[in-house]
Amino acid sequence: MQPHRNGNLSVMPLQEFVLEGFEGGPPTQALLFALFLALYVVAVLGNLTMIVVITLDARLHSPMYFFLKNLSFLDLCYSSVIAPKALANFLSSSKVITFEGCATQFFFFSLLVTTEGFLLAVMAYDRFMAICSPLCYPISMRPLVCACLVLSCYCGGCLNSILQTSFTFSLPFCSSNHINHFFCDVPPMLKLACADTTINELVMFGICGLIIVGTTLVVLISYGYITGTILRMRSGGGRHKLFSTCGSHMTAVSLFYGTVFVMYAQPGAVQSMEQGKVVSVFYTLVIPMLNPLIYSLRNKDVKDALQRLGQKHTAT
């Protein structure tokens, strides 16, 4: 590719970036390495456990747990897109990532995170159908429909990822190749561009805002109907079980949408890089670590399945 000119500034195509990560000397980097490693290991073990338990226990072969297994898969994948490179950089002095590697990391991260946002909305709709229309539920949420809903989540995530990646990595980067972050993300990448990024910022805020508002409305409307249905139930035990199940999902939704909104759907996101790093740790590692705990500790069916699986392992 030939260099081109932007005014009086010669712009050479970059071959690599440097992920600056967090400030601090070797002791700080070692501490961060230990923290990231602990969060990542717990996230991997927790999500793998959820996938294995739901797959092996026939009593959990229902739409709700089919979606939950996909949620665990997404958490496992998108934390794995970020954590290994970040861990390697904590122990490295160069912290280099190639241009292609940076674009690939960003593409898959954007794909998986957006897909998770859509999936959380689908899970709210599933709970709405199960609680508010129980007689129609076996037909309306049959396996083919569930598979199509998950596929549509991935398609929506892929479309957003293609748009975000193409808009971001078509920019000329000339001011520096040092990314003030621990992974390749839109806000720090826009800081490096030597062209007007107004359109890119509008695209990011517009698409992310639309996705967040749209999926949040689905969640709120679904849970509005769910709450009304539960409150009309006469059985106290039934109300407690449903509130416990729905509470797990609402906790996961609040954590995910809250952090994503702070990072991508409000104008201050691009300017506040230090805040962005902390928020990014939360949704790239902490939330994938917490989701299996939220759904297992507050879900009797999952706890029973874990107990049965443990008994079978002991018996063998």
Side-chain angles (χ1 to χ4, degrees):
M1 183 184 296
Q2 295 296 321
H4 62 87
R5 300 192 65 84
N6 184 6
N8 295 323
L9 181 64
S10 180
V11 183
M12 293 293 295
L14 293 178
Q15 299 299 316
E16 60 184 30
F17 293 102
V18 177
L19 293 168
E20 293 186 344
F22 295 88
E23 296 180 355
T28 302
Q29 298 300 309
L31 180 62
L32 288 169
F33 174 85
L35 175 63
F36 270 57
L37 181 62
L39 291 173
Y40 181 55
V41 169
V42 174
V44 169
L45 293 177
N47 286 292
L48 280 177
T49 299
M50 290 295 291
I51 293 170
V52 170
V53 169
I54 294 172
T55 301
L56 296 181
D57 197 304
R59 300 183 191 184
L60 300 183
H61 291 178
S62 65
M64 173 182 171
Y65 294 105
F66 172 73
F67 294 130
L68 182 54
K69 183 167 72 170
N70 278 276
L71 179 68
S72 293
F73 175 75
L74 288 170
D75 282 338
L76 175 64
C77 288
Y78 87 71
S79 60
S80 297
V81 168
I82 304 301
K85 183 62 178 176
L87 288 169
N89 284 343
F90 285 131
L91 303 178
S92 171
S93 58
S94 64
K95 305 181 188 296
V96 168
I97 184 170
T98 64
F99 184 91
E100 293 78 10
C102 189
T104 301
Q105 183 187 59
F106 174 75
F107 175 84
F108 283 105
F109 173 73
S110 179
L111 164 65
L112 295 164
V113 171
T114 308
T115 302
E116 178 155 332
F118 285 125
L119 183 62
L120 288 170
V122 168
M123 292 172 71
Y125 173 73
D126 170 68
R127 291 299 82 207
F128 161 74
M129 292 300 300
I131 295 170
C132 300
S133 301
L135 297 179
C136 300
Y137 183 71
I139 298 174
S140 60
M141 298 301 290
R142 59 191 183 275
L144 179 60
V145 173
C146 294
C148 289
L149 286 171
V150 170
L151 180 61
S152 67
C153 292
Y154 277 95
C155 289
C158 188
L159 178 61
N160 176 58
S161 184
I162 290 172
L163 288 173
Q164 297 284 4
T165 305
S166 59
F167 268 88
T168 302
F169 286 88
S170 62
L171 288 169
F173 299 106
C174 56
S175 59
S176 171
N177 70 334
H178 287 249
I179 300 174
N180 187 19
H181 215 301
F182 62 92
F183 72 98
C184 297
D185 200 6
V186 174
M189 296 295 295
L190 296 184
K191 287 284 189 180
L192 304 184
C194 55
D196 184 12
T197 61
T198 303
I199 298 297
N200 298 75
E201 292 181 31
L202 288 174
V203 168
M204 183 180 73
F205 296 143
I207 295 177
C208 293
L210 183 63
I211 292 172
I212 292 172
V213 170
T215 52
T216 301
L217 281 176
V218 172
V219 172
L220 292 177
I221 292 171
S222 297
Y223 276 98
Y225 280 105
I226 288 170
T227 302
T229 301
I230 292 176
L231 292 176
R232 289 194 296 269
M233 295 177 64
R234 296 181 179 180
S235 169
R239 283 199 301 268
H240 176 74
K241 180 179 179 181
L242 291 176
F243 270 127
S244 177
T245 301
C246 296
S248 299
H249 184 248
M250 283 303 296
T251 302
V253 167
S254 300
L255 289 171
F256 181 82
Y257 285 138
T259 52
V260 170
F261 178 83
V262 169
M263 189 64 196
Y264 300 108
Q266 46 97 19
V270 174
Q271 282 72 36
S272 182
M273 288 296 102
E274 295 307 313
Q275 177 196 26
K277 291 179 190 179
V278 177
V279 175
S280 296
V281 172
F282 199 79
Y283 70 77
T284 56
L285 287 171
V286 176
I287 290 180
M289 178 200 71
L290 288 177
N291 278 344
L293 300 176
I294 291 170
Y295 281 103
S296 61
L297 295 178
R298 300 190 60 179
N299 189 304
K300 186 177 183 300
D301 293 336
V302 174
K303 287 190 287 187
D304 291 344
L306 282 167
Q307 186 176 5
R308 287 192 295 270
L309 190 63
Q311 290 173 348
K312 286 182 181 179
H313 179 72
T314 303
T316 56

